[in-house]
Amino acid sequence: MKKHILIVDDEADVRDLLDRFLTLQGYRITAVPSAIEALRAVAGDPPNLVISDLQLEDSDGLDMIEQLKVRLPDTPMMLLTGVFFDPQVVRDTLSRKVACYLQKTSPLAQILAEVRRLVGV
Amino acid sequence: MRVAIHNQLPVRLAGIILLMGFVAVPIVSELKRRAVERIVLQQAEVQAATATVAVVEGLQDVLSSVETSVRFLARDLEDRELSAEGVDRIIRNTIAGNPNVSDCSISFEPYALSPAIERFGRYANRSDTRPATRDLAAPDYRYWTRGWYGDAVGKGELAWSEPFFDNGGANTTVVRASAPFFRMIGGKRVLAGVIAAGFDLAWVKELTGENEFFDTGYVIIFSHAGRLIAHPNPAYVFAETMESLAQKVNDPELAIIHQRVLARRQGSVSYMSNVFHQRVHENYKPARFGGWGVVVGYDEAEFLRQIGALRWITMLSLAGTLALLSGIVLLATQIALRPLRRLTAVSDEIGQGNLDCEIRPPARDDEIGRLSRSFLVMRDALKKNRLLERKVQEDAADLAAANERLSIENLERCWINQALEHQLRYDRLIVNSINDLVFVLTKTMNISRINPAVVHLSGWELQELVNSPLSRVVRLDGDGRGGGVSRTDPLAQALREGRDLRDQPAILEDRSGHSSPVRLTLFPLRDGDKVVGGVAVVTTASAISSSIQNTP
């Protein structure tokens, strides 16, 4: 069975590109623009991985991840954002909240490698 | 693939021939039987007709000789001198001279022989030891009262009697021809008497015996009145006529035959006989004398029995021929179809995907040879096609992989572009969000970029300021207004030296020429260890006072 990935990003282009790329790689994708829709989506179809932006229209990505973790305590969360964090911040703060942090300038191959590391092929 | 024996073409062909044979043999046999039956019955009829003619001829020989004798005597008596002794002599000579005549008589009209003798009649038969000694005028006979005499006188010509038993005469069954004779008396030709001659019907038995034919052949002879003179059943002889027997045994054909013979017709008839209890074929023919008829018949079954045997022989021979023909067809098709079986095996191999199977080159140029050649061509075409298919599949797989790579690469490019755009947008967002006037400068202190606060507070538009010296808008307080970069300009100096110049008093001149005091901070822009430009941040007095007010 294909692994299910939930993508949360308010930018349609980002959602669309990630959807197409990861579908090509054999994953089943659900892509939503907001935290509310993400919470609604996981209720009916729990994902194997959540990839979220930091800045959402209706919420902060990290806050949403905190809420999702309540429902999906064993599901890895990936933060994919255009905001640059200092490596010290990433190491000391973000690593406690998310399984992986990647900048949006990271190449897709790197994103794929992280996805595979977290949920397998 | 092994073909079940009942599905093999030779077996099917042989089966079809046998099946058709089983249908055709009885039909052919029946047609042949009917044809042979017709021929055999026609031949039997011809033989029967021939036998009929023979019997009739034999009968006519006897009847004509008797009739001839009577006619001869009648003419002879017309002129001859007659006496009683002479009459006796004539009778004896007639019997002696004609072996068919069994008896003879000469009887006279009153006083015709002699004026002295009223009635005179003499009779003799072959068995008499003393011929011509009988007197027919005797009181116990009185010839003029007899039918044979009266008939001849009445008719005035020769007449044949019906068969009768000559009681007191020959004491046998005879028939008799009677004829009047005339003499010249007193110059007139007048009836003088009757001459009669008979013949013994015992001779008929000899005649029918001489003409026996077939196993079931028989002869019937009947008189003018239809009285049976000869018949296979002796009980009917003289006792029955054709009509009475026809009525008695319910065989109307007998009466019909009699009627036709009376009409002087000849022919044949087939019917189921109640006399013989079998189907008979009868030929009939009238005799020229006496009004008699002859029937020669036979049992048709006698000939049909032979045909029945012939039918079985025909069926067996046809069945044998069919079996032989089936065997030949089986063998011939086995031989003829051997190359076809090889081709079938090859087609099975090809059907299972083995295109390297061996196909023998055709050794002959018949239909099977051409088929073999077509198989070769087809196999080679299939091989080429298969190679082509593989190449197409490989190419398609390569294309699909390349397409996937391109798609991923394209996605990657799109991803990078959007990331860069996002980053740029984010950077602009940061700069544009600053309420102080921000100027991005080249190394020569010319303006390359401004934030919206510059436009808002100075009234200058971007296009008016780009590539203009910073001093056009802002200068350090006490610095003279000049178009270029002064070597003594502390801002340019600080930029060249790569150091910050913080919170310097300066003058902002807006587009309308109005000047106002501001504070200016200059940061050099570094790319690694190189200074590539600078950023000047200008804080207005209102912003400063607001900042002071907001400071706790």
Side-chain angles (χ1 to χ4, degrees):
Chain A
M1 182 179 284
K2 291 181 175 179
K3 297 291 174 56
H4 180 205
I5 297 174
L6 173 65
I7 297 170
V8 189
D9 199 304
D10 56 350
E11 290 184 61
D13 289 347
V14 174
R15 285 200 311 273
D16 179 56
L17 281 168
L18 280 176
D19 188 344
R20 284 158 60 191
F21 176 70
L22 292 174
T23 300
L24 269 176
Q25 301 303 327
Y27 295 99
R28 183 166 65 87
I29 305 300
T30 299
V32 297
S34 64
I36 291 174
E37 289 192 49
L39 291 168
R40 195 179 298 144
V42 300
D45 188 7
N48 300 104
L49 172 67
V50 176
I51 301 175
S52 177
D53 191 8
L54 180 62
Q55 294 167 329
L56 302 175
E57 286 177 358
D58 57 347
S59 175
D60 183 290
L62 286 173
D63 287 346
M64 185 200 70
I65 284 171
E66 288 299 327
Q67 293 177 52
L68 287 177
K69 275 190 166 182
V70 175
R71 295 189 184 183
L72 308 167
D74 299 326
T75 302
M77 308 285 170
M78 178 189 288
L79 188 63
L80 182 67
T81 177
V83 178
F84 294 105
F85 287 97
D86 186 83
Q88 184 69 31
V89 175
V90 172
R91 192 166 52 247
D92 297 343
T93 307
L94 291 181
S95 61
R96 289 202 300 272
K97 297 184 180 232
V98 296
C100 173
Y101 159 73
L102 284 176
Q103 294 176 2
K104 279 189 177 174
T105 51
S106 303
L108 285 173
Q110 188 181 350
I111 296 171
L112 178 64
E114 286 302 312
V115 168
R116 284 177 176 167
R117 181 178 68 80
L118 293 172
V119 296
V121 179
Chain B
M1 189 189 298
R2 187 79 183 160
V3 179
I5 190 162
H6 64 278
N7 281 333
Q8 290 180 2
L9 190 56
V11 176
R12 290 170 73 96
L13 280 174
I16 288 168
I17 289 172
L18 278 175
L19 188 65
M20 291 175 71
F22 280 124
V23 176
V25 163
I27 294 171
V28 171
S29 174
E30 180 61 19
L31 290 174
K32 186 175 179 181
R33 185 192 67 78
R34 289 186 183 186
V36 171
E37 180 181 305
R38 195 164 54 246
I39 292 168
V40 167
L41 291 179
Q42 281 174 351
Q43 288 180 345
E45 188 177 348
V46 168
Q47 288 185 44
T50 305
T52 307
V53 170
V55 173
V56 169
E57 291 294 327
L59 191 63
Q60 285 179 166
D61 284 348
V62 175
L63 293 174
S64 71
S65 71
V66 173
E67 191 171 312
T68 301
S69 294
V70 172
R71 290 187 186 280
F72 175 78
L73 275 177
R75 280 199 304 273
D76 187 51
L77 290 179
E78 278 197 28
D79 305 326
R80 179 183 286 217
E81 288 293 328
L82 289 174
S83 63
E85 295 76 16
V87 169
D88 288 344
R89 191 169 51 253
I90 289 169
I91 289 172
R92 282 198 305 271
N93 288 343
T94 299
I95 293 173
N98 188 341
N100 293 323
V101 174
S102 60
D103 63 71
C104 183
S105 67
I106 300 174
S107 304
F108 288 87
E109 285 288 286
Y111 308 110
L113 178 64
S114 166
I117 302 170
E118 183 185 2
R119 294 286 183 179
F120 183 80
R122 285 289 188 271
Y123 162 85
N125 67 59
R126 191 171 294 281
S127 62
D128 280 349
T129 53
R130 292 180 296 109
T133 59
R134 304 224 180 161
D135 180 7
L136 294 180
D140 61 343
Y141 192 76
R142 292 156 52 91
Y143 65 84
W144 57 89
T145 65
R146 301 291 174 170
W148 57 269
Y149 187 90
D151 288 344
V153 171
K155 284 183 180 177
E157 59 180 3
L158 186 140
W160 280 93
S161 73
E162 285 298 300
F164 64 95
F165 189 79
D166 188 15
N167 192 17
N171 286 323
T172 181
T173 305
V174 299
V175 290
R176 186 165 286 155
S178 304
F181 67 93
F182 299 86
R183 289 181 66 83
M184 297 300 291
I185 299 174
K188 290 183 180 177
R189 188 172 180 268
V190 296
L191 178 68
V194 172
I195 300 168
F199 90 95
D200 189 348
L201 289 180
W203 173 84
V204 172
K205 287 183 180 176
E206 296 176 20
L207 178 67
T208 55
E210 287 171 1
N211 287 281
E212 283 184 351
F213 62 100
F214 309 147
D215 292 338
T216 58
Y218 58 88
V219 175
I220 298 172
I221 298 174
F222 54 90
S223 68
H224 183 267
R227 180 71 57 192
L228 291 171
I229 297 167
H231 194 280
N233 186 347
Y236 296 152
V237 175
F238 304 131
E240 300 289 348
T241 65
M242 292 288 273
E243 276 76 5
S244 67
L245 186 59
Q247 200 166 11
K248 185 176 184 179
V249 300
N250 194 25
D251 276 348
E253 288 80 5
L254 294 172
I256 292 169
I257 289 171
H258 181 222
Q259 293 303 316
R260 288 180 178 172
V261 166
L262 286 178
R264 311 292 301 165
R265 288 167 59 188
Q266 62 180 8
S268 65
V269 61
S270 288
Y271 64 96
M272 187 62 205
S273 170
N274 291 319
V275 174
F276 301 104
H277 305 292
Q278 59 199 16
R279 186 164 188 84
V280 298
H281 185 94
E282 292 183 342
N283 276 59
Y284 54 87
K285 183 176 173 65
R288 282 198 306 276
F289 303 99
W292 289 19
V294 172
V295 173
V296 173
Y298 55 91
D299 176 14
E300 288 186 342
E302 177 184 349
F303 302 93
L304 301 182
R305 274 193 293 274
Q306 296 172 6
I307 293 169
L310 181 66
R311 182 184 186 185
W312 279 111
I313 291 168
T314 303
M315 286 184 72
L316 286 174
S317 64
L318 280 173
T321 305
L322 276 174
L324 185 63
L325 188 60
S326 300
I328 291 169
V329 166
L330 202 62
L331 188 63
T333 47
Q334 287 276 9
I335 293 169
L337 294 179
R338 198 172 294 153
L340 209 54
R341 272 199 294 275
R342 282 200 292 269
L343 284 180
T344 306
V346 165
S347 73
D348 286 344
E349 289 273 322
I350 291 173
Q352 289 166 6
N354 179 17
L355 297 181
D356 295 321
C357 56
E358 182 194 3
I359 301 178
R360 291 187 192 174
R364 50 192 186 187
D365 195 32
D366 57 7
E367 287 81 354
I368 293 175
R370 289 177 195 166
L371 190 60
S372 298
R373 216 173 346 266
S374 297
F375 258 79
L376 272 169
V377 171
M378 182 189 74
R379 196 269 312 268
D380 292 344
L382 282 173
K383 283 176 87 171
K384 284 180 186 170
N385 198 41
R386 177 175 286 183
L387 288 173
L388 200 62
E389 275 180 5
R390 281 180 186 161
K391 189 163 186 343
V392 167
Q393 283 172 354
E394 288 169 4
D395 290 350
D398 290 346
L399 279 173
N403 189 46
E404 191 175 337
R405 277 197 304 275
L406 278 174
S407 295
I408 291 172
E409 285 173 14
N410 188 45
L411 284 172
E412 192 76 69
R413 273 195 298 278
C414 290
W415 178 256
I416 290 167
N417 287 339
Q418 74 79 28
L420 289 174
E421 283 175 15
H422 181 271
Q423 201 58 52
L424 187 61
R425 195 166 61 252
Y426 194 67
D427 289 349
R428 284 179 183 157
L429 187 65
I430 291 169
V431 173
N432 293 343
S433 299
I434 298 171
N435 287 328
D436 292 337
L437 291 77
V438 179
F439 298 87
V440 181
L441 306 171
T442 64
K443 284 174 72 177
T444 56
M445 294 302 287
N446 286 331
I447 297 168
S448 64
R449 184 180 162 191
I450 59 174
N451 72 345
V454 174
V455 176
H456 176 66
L457 294 175
S458 71
W460 295 98
E461 294 296 330
L462 174 63
Q463 57 272 25
E464 293 173 310
L465 293 180
V466 169
N467 213 29
S468 298
L470 177 65
S471 57
R472 186 179 181 187
V473 185
V474 183
R475 62 181 181 277
L476 288 176
D477 194 8
D479 192 11
R481 295 191 66 166
V485 176
S486 171
R487 283 196 171 273
T488 58
D489 181 0
L491 292 174
Q493 183 69 30
L495 202 57
R496 278 198 299 274
E497 292 172 359
R499 58 182 171 81
D500 297 348
L501 197 63
R502 296 178 177 269
D503 200 25
Q504 297 296 312
I507 300 298
L508 172 68
E509 187 174 324
D510 62 16
R511 194 168 185 273
S512 59
H514 180 260
S515 299
S516 55
V518 295
R519 307 294 294 186
L520 181 149
T521 300
L522 177 68
F523 301 101
L525 268 178
R526 284 191 175 84
D527 185 4
D529 56 353
K530 286 172 62 180
V531 175
V532 297
V535 175
V537 178
V538 175
T539 308
T540 59
S542 58
I544 293 166
S545 62
S546 174
S547 175
I548 291 168
Q549 285 175 2
N550 289 334
T551 302

